[in-house]
Amino acid sequence: MTDIHGAENLQRLTYAPGDIVLADRYYARPRDLRPVIDADADFIVRTGWNSLRLLQTNGEPFDLFAALAAQQEPEGEVQVRVHEGMTGTPPTPPLVLRLVVRRKDPQQAQAEQERLLKDARKRGKKPDPRSLEAAKYILLLTSLPAATFPPADILALYRFRWQIELAFKRFKSLAGLDSLPAKKPELARAWLYARLIVAIIAEQIAGQVPDSPPSGCGNPTG
């Protein structure tokens, strides 16, 4: 729990070897990913076509859209290197990751494209054609080894993040966690803990079963 100073980032947390961090595209930033690797942990993070500057593993430019067009199967992957803009001494080992790609079903892709078009109309602009093309895919970056975590497993693990999103949405609406009546950190923490305990007990009593994670046709892709 933090105050109003500073934005969300993965540097606020501590990690242990063997941990797997699941994060949405907001955290697709080198300064957030590097600390996870440095702690001998791993991550799966959603990314957009312009979230990071991606390179080939040899440092040459990487053409994302050429790679997407060349993908024959619904799911695939390619190794990429994240440009970090770091020139330390000694030099930091390059951040070489797997870019796991899943082609959305036509209904999902169309819905996302329509959302982008609607948002662009509201702002009086035209959507970037690259955004419309990228809307056809789910893009995940991961440090997990390919030998033990094939693309299907990476996609399945990332979908667990949706369960966390749903839990927070329930807590915010049922326990009123969307606002804090206390300003002092110790009072705010006590208030939150009390509400969380009540919410968890209520779910256990009600036999709440989490909604299915998004997978396959017609499900959320957040």
Side-chain angles (χ1 to χ4, degrees), residues 157-176:
L157 280 171
Y158 182 76
R159 285 193 288 268
F160 282 117
R161 191 188 66 83
W162 186 246
Q163 300 283 13
I164 302 171
E165 292 284 348
L166 292 174
F168 273 103
K169 287 181 179 180
R170 288 197 303 272
F171 287 163
K172 285 181 178 180
S173 60
L174 299 177

Side-chain angles (χ1 to χ4, degrees), residues 140-159:
L140 301 177
L141 282 170
T142 184
S143 58
L144 288 166
T148 49
F149 292 90
D153 288 351
I154 297 298
L155 289 158
L157 280 171
Y158 182 76
R159 285 193 288 268

